[in-house]
């Protein structure tokens, strides 16, 4: 859908002083080229005062199509001579021709000029012939790198622009052919920008994304086709007139150091135009329906201009909406917003011109070629049949034959700021009757300002501050819209007000003009106010602004007064007024939160009677729920917390833990704050805690939190805190001064994060004669590592505190290695340090897919070690016998025989071989 308005995008209309009838034309950033009389090319500077002639020169043949590249400043033309189409490029046309010199040098691509020109300043125009195996159909220049792309019948040829230094230190531009792409359809138009090739044929438009890759053979860079994306394969052949000029990149004129934010592809059929964003995928942005048959269309980052036989149409585009999101990851958050690209486009202007045939765009100037139809005899015959009155009126019109049959217009676009102001004024007529149209026009103005700020060609240093100021003013207007009107996306008031840069006091003052009418504080404004008060503002508001905030909540949402008063930015509010509001609210909607807030205000008023009365109104369990509802009470007002702790002396700790789990999982407080609050609530006044008692209090808290916690990130954080304390106390052989609240058995029974300890770990523990600092801590640590919840990799940096030469350290190191799959390493370490744990380890770990470790790792290692003498030999021999028994029950006889050692006592191994054979016979 297209919304139709009537604004004025054009500031001035000038005539281009061309000597002969133009046949074709093209534009650069500030340059216009006009071809007339077949091969005569006139160049003009496009300025605010009009088009000033630069020079005139002749092409070698009749020019059919012409294109200009800002990079390299070259002109490329498809020319016809003796019924043969060829491609030629014109370099150094401006310097030599404007000085009145007519020297011309002609060469082929890849052939540099030789002596006597080397080392001599270039004072001649260069014409470069570009040989092609097929006649050229279309041509395009990359606005970023200046590369040349030529479309032929069913292939596209790429030429890379390069600057070549001659022996005499002078430089010339040349082209190098580096890629040919064959396509399966007849080409009509091509366009190329920043590695993306767009092609249009009779039935389809196709975009190819080219990426650089490195050849393995010779390690040279080349371009290859990476992706083929059909944009539209359902175009009716009859509607796709080859003359209907138009596949263009809206990236804007470029320079070698210019960054491309986004890339767009636009193509036009006679009655509809389509705009696509070209990124990792091709996405349709807008569809433009023309009121009559279009002849040509050109697009810029701000506008789409379409010419018909008698009208110039100006539409808005959505390029800046996409580019803003590509550039800024904060877009569409609470901090920044931008109107969406799927918003309906607007037709800003339909301007009458007679006989329009061609259009091109030069920065903020539109060049139009109009040619009238010279059919004077038919018009005279037609006029004779009309009434005398109509005949008289017709005679007042100048005769077509007496006028020049063509005109070349230069239309200057109005400045972005001036056009946006006109659109804002125009939009006010819709404010009362159609708020959606009012917001739509403000959004259109926003996108135009955004496009100007993103485009360095439009946003020069001299007017950037003015653009930024206009942009902030527009953000304020949009914020007012989403604040005042009942809209589904009312939450956009927040980012738009943030982008406006206005302080909260200013925005509230503007809204308080409607004092006493709560409807004026719409959902959008209240959403902005609550977010600012509750989450954003840390610095205290002035007394005046804080009282204004309180007044707004009284009018619009009284139930949020306690939340507002708990915010740290409201500390300068009038306490007497706050108490009156809370008293009134308490009678209408009583709650524990209102009571706690009243207690807070009473303390700040130093009215202990009111404070005590409020604190006694609810039992302690209800008061805890008040803290859950408003964590700012916990965060900023310790006096109320201390008083509540006295009332919670008789309350079980489980109630507190459940409250803090709710706070944490709702993200109202973080874990560090919860730890602080828990200590405040659980420690009696006057108690002197030792440093060891404080960690044990937190350990009890963390262990209790794990039982009720369900969010995985919080679980991992709690586990790491516990593991850190356990390891520290084990390494320092510290005993907690207080008995732990929960034993290892309690935790294993009620908390899934604590797993059953492996039997081989118990073997290691039993083998130790070392006096462990805290056996309960070691068992809890081993239980966590035996569970499935802990991320073992996060534990590894802490293991440096535990030496692996004693049983506690060995068990923890081996548990971590086992969880990481390092079973062979664990086997070696256990054989060295605790061989009696090898068989329990194997029974626990060497199962299923790890079963081959029995005979590939453990059996050969035991055989090797039993050859030596020593006190451990008995344990090793016993382990070897048990291993042989297990392996014999698993393998076939021949497989079992193949793994037995080549040397050894046969009587030792023979019984196991016989057992293996009997098992095989039975099965």
């Amino acid at each position: 859908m297209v919304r139709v308005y009537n604004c004025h995008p054009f500031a001035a209309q000038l005539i281009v002083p061309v000597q002969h009838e133009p046949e074709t034309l093209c534009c650069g950033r500030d340059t216009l080229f006009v071809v007339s009389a077949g091969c005569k090319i006139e160049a003009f500077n496009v300025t605010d005062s009009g088009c000033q002639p630069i020079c005139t020169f002749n092409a070698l043949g009749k020019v059919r199509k012409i294109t200009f590249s800002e990079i390299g400043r070259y002109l490329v033309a498809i020319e016809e001579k003796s019924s043969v189409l060829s491609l030629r490029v014109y370099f150094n046309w401006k310097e030599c021709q404007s000085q009145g010199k007519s020297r011309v040098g002609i060469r082929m691509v890849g052939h540099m000029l030789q002596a006597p020109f080397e080392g001599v300043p270039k004072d001649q125009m260069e014409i470069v012939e570009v040989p092609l195996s097929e006649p050229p159909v279309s041509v395009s220049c990359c606005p970023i790198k200046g590369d040349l792309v030529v479309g032929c019948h069913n292939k596209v040829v790429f030429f890379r622009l390069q600057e070549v230094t001659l022996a005499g230190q002078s430089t010339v531009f040349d082209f190098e052919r580096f890629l040919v792409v064959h396509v399966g359809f007849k080409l009509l138009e091509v366009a190329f920008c920043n590695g993306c090739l767009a092609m249009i044929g009779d039935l389809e438009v196709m975009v190819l994304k080219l990426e650089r890759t490195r050849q393995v053979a010779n390690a040279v860079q080349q371009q290859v086709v990476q992706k083929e994306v059909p944009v539209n394969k359902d175009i009716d052949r009859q509607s796709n007139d080859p003359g209907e000029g138009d596949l263009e990149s809206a990236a804007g004129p470029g320079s070698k150091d210019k960054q491309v934010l986004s890339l767009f592809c636009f193509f036009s059929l006679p009655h509809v135009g389509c705009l696509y964003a070209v990124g990792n995928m091709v996405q349709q942005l807008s569809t433009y329906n023309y009121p009559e048959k279009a002849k040509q269309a050109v697009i810029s980052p701000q506008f789409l201009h379409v010419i018909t036989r008698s009208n110039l149409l100006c539409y808005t585009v959505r390029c800046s909406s996409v580019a803003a999101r590509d550039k800024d990851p904060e877009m569409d958050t609470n901090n920044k917003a931008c109107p969406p690209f799927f918003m309906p486009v607007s037709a800003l202007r339909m301007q009458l011109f007679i006989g329009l045939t061609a259009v091109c765009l030069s920065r903020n100037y539109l060049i139009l070629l109009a040619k009238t139809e010279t059919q004077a005899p038919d018009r005279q015959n037609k006029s004779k049949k009309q009434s005398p009155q109509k005949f008289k009126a017709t005679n007042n019109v100048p005769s077509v034959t007496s006028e020049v049959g063509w005109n070349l217009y230069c239309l200057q676009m109005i400045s972005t700021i001036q056009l946006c102001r006109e659109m804002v004024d125009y939009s006010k007529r819709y404010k009362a009757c159609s708020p959606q149209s009012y917001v739509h026009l403000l959004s259109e103005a926003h996108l135009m300002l955004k496009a100007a700020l993103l485009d360095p060609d439009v946003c020069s240093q001299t007017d950037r501050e003015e653009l930024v100021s206009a942009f902030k003013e527009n953000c304020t207007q949009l914020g007012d819209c989403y604040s005042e009107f009942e809209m589904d996306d009312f939450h956009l008031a927040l980012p738009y007000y943030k982008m406006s840069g206005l302080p909260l006091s200013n925005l509230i003052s503007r809204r308080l003009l409607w004092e006493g009418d709560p409807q004026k504080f719409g959902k959008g404004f209240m959403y902005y106010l609550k977010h600012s008060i509750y989450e954003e503002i840390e610095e205290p508001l002035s007394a005046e602004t804080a009282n204004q905030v309180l007044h707004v909540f009284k009018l619009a949402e009284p139930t949020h007064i306690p939340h507002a008063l708990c915010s740290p930015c409201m500390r300068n509010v009038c306490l007497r007024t706050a108490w009156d509001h809370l008293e009134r609210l308490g009678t209408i909607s009583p709650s524990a939160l209102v009571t706690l807030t009243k207690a807070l205000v009473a303390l700040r008023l130093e009215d202990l009677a009111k404070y005590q009365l409020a604190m006694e109104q609810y039992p302690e369990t209800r008061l805890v729920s008040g803290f859950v509802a408003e964590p700012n009470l916990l965060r900023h007002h310790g006096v109320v917390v201390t008083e509540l702790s006295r009332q919670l002396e008789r309350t079980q700790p489980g109630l507190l833990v459940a409250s803090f789990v709710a706070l944490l999982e709702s993200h109202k407080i973080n874990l560090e704050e919860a730890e602080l609050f828990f200590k405040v609530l659980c420690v009696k006044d006057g108690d002197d805690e030792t440093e060891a008692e404080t960690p044990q209090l937190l350990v009890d808290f963390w262990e209790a939190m794990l039982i009720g916690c369900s969010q995985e990130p919080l679980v991992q954080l709690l586990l790491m805190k516990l593991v850190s304390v356990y390891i520290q106390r084990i390494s320092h052989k510290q005993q907690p001064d207080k008995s732990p609240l929960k034993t290892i058995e309690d935790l294993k029974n009620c908390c899934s994060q604590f797993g059953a300890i492996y039997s081989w770990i118990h073997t290691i523990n039993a083998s130790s004669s070392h006096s462990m600092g805290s056996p309960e801590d070691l068992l809890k640590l081993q239980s966590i590592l035996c569970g499935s919840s802990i991320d073992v990799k996060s534990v590894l940096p802490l293991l440096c505190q535990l030496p692996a030469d004693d049983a506690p350290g060995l068990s923890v190191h081996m548990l971590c290695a086992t969880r990481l799959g390092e079973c062979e390493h664990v086997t070696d370490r256990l054989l060295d340090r605790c061989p009696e744990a090898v068989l329990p380890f194997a029974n626990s770990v060497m199962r299923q897919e790890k079963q081959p470790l029995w005979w590939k790792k453990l059996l050969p290692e035991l055989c090797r070690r039993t050859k030596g003498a020593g006190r451990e030999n008995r344990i090793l021999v016993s382990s070897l016998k048990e291993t042989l028994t297990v392996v014999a029950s698993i393998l076939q006889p021949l497989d079992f025989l193949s793994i037995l050692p080549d040397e050894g006592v046969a009587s030792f191994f023979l019984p196991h071989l016989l057992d293996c054979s009997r098992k095989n016979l039975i099965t």
Side-chain angles (χ1 to χ4, degrees), residues 68-76 89-92 107 109 112 126 128 130 140-149 157-164 172-178 192 212 223 254-256:
F68 179 70
S69 171
E70 289 290 342
I71 310 299
R73 302 286 295 176
Y74 65 85
L75 195 67
V76 56
V89 181
Y90 295 82
F91 286 107
N92 203 34
R107 60 182 173 89
V109 164
M112 298 295 102
E126 281 191 295
V128 180
V130 182
S140 175
C141 305
C142 176
I144 307 302
K145 297 182 179 179
D147 295 340
L148 177 64
V149 176
V157 186
F158 292 79
F159 295 88
R160 182 183 291 115
L161 179 67
Q162 55 187 3
E163 197 169 4
V164 181
V172 296
F173 283 106
D174 197 25
F175 292 100
E176 174 192 13
R177 190 177 75 166
F178 68 97
F192 184 65
R212 288 192 176 274
Q223 294 265 9
S255 60
K256 288 187 177 180

Side-chain angles (χ1 to χ4, degrees), residues 598-739:
K598 288 174 65 176
L600 168 65
V601 175
L603 281 175
R604 294 178 62 188
L605 286 169
E606 299 182 354
D607 191 332
L608 296 181
K610 288 183 178 179
Y611 168 76
Q612 192 64 32
L613 183 64
M615 292 300 291
E616 293 175 354
Q617 186 173 349
Y618 285 99
E620 60 272 14
T621 55
R622 294 289 301 277
L623 293 177
V624 169
S625 69
F627 281 128
V628 175
E630 184 46 68
N632 275 333
L633 280 170
L634 285 169
R635 184 178 288 116
H636 300 288
H637 307 297
V639 179
V640 177
V641 175
T642 304
E643 178 63 25
L644 180 60
S645 68
R646 295 192 182 99
Q647 301 187 36
L648 287 172
E649 289 178 0
R650 302 180 304 275
T651 305
Q652 295 181 357
L655 174 63
L656 287 178
V657 172
S659 301
F660 286 116
V661 168
L663 284 169
L664 284 165
E665 294 198 337
S666 62
H667 304 289
K668 292 184 177 179
I669 60 174
N670 57 39
L671 187 55
E672 288 72 18
E673 291 171 328
E675 294 163 2
L676 174 62
F677 304 150
F678 184 79
K679 287 193 296 183
V680 171
L681 290 172
C682 290
V683 179
K684 298 179 182 178
D685 289 343
D687 283 358
D688 294 326
E689 284 189 310
T690 65
E691 187 176 348
E693 288 175 330
T694 301
Q696 183 56 43
L697 182 67
L698 289 176
V699 167
D700 291 338
F701 175 64
W702 294 331
E703 290 173 349
M705 288 287 290
L706 272 177
I707 297 173
C709 187
S710 61
Q711 294 185 358
E712 184 60 25
L714 187 56
V715 167
Q716 290 296 325
L717 185 58
L718 289 168
L719 286 173
M720 285 307 300
K721 285 180 174 288
L722 286 171
V723 166
S724 178
V725 174
Y726 294 154
I727 289 178
Q728 183 181 10
R729 293 204 297 211
I730 294 169
S731 64
H732 291 85
K733 302 180 178 60
Q734 290 178 343
Q735 291 279 1
D737 289 355
K738 289 184 177 181
S739 298

Side-chain angles (χ1 to χ4, degrees), residues 443-455:
S443 300
E444 292 284 16
H446 184 94
L447 289 178
M448 288 183 190
L449 291 166
K450 191 70 178 178
L453 289 169
L454 289 173
D455 192 342

Side-chain angles (χ1 to χ4, degrees), residues 672-823:
E672 288 72 18
E673 291 171 328
E675 294 163 2
L676 174 62
F677 304 150
F678 184 79
K679 287 193 296 183
V680 171
L681 290 172
C682 290
V683 179
K684 298 179 182 178
D685 289 343
D687 283 358
D688 294 326
E689 284 189 310
T690 65
E691 187 176 348
E693 288 175 330
T694 301
Q696 183 56 43
L697 182 67
L698 289 176
V699 167
D700 291 338
F701 175 64
W702 294 331
E703 290 173 349
M705 288 287 290
L706 272 177
I707 297 173
C709 187
S710 61
Q711 294 185 358
E712 184 60 25
L714 187 56
V715 167
Q716 290 296 325
L717 185 58
L718 289 168
L719 286 173
M720 285 307 300
K721 285 180 174 288
L722 286 171
V723 166
S724 178
V725 174
Y726 294 154
I727 289 178
Q728 183 181 10
R729 293 204 297 211
I730 294 169
S731 64
H732 291 85
K733 302 180 178 60
Q734 290 178 343
Q735 291 279 1
D737 289 355
K738 289 184 177 181
S739 298
L741 188 64
K742 293 187 180 295
T743 66
I744 178 61
E745 295 303 322
D746 295 332
L747 292 173
K748 285 194 295 184
N749 290 333
C750 62
C751 186
S752 61
Q753 283 78 27
F754 289 83
I757 300 176
Y758 304 138
S759 60
W760 58 278
I761 294 295
H762 286 302
T763 304
I764 297 177
N765 292 342
S767 68
S768 173
S769 59
H770 192 277
S771 176
M772 290 183 285
S774 175
E776 192 74 12
D777 283 344
L778 178 61
L779 291 175
K780 289 179 178 178
L781 175 60
Q782 291 169 341
S783 179
I784 287 178
L785 293 175
C786 290
S788 58
S789 297
I790 187 70
D791 181 7
V792 177
K793 291 183 180 179
S794 61
V795 180
L796 297 181
L798 302 175
L799 295 185
C800 60
Q801 303 177 49
L802 283 177
D805 57 355
D806 60 5
L810 178 66
S811 66
V812 175
H813 280 270
M814 293 304 98
L815 268 174
C816 291
T818 302
R819 290 286 306 276
L820 294 174
E822 301 172 358
C823 295

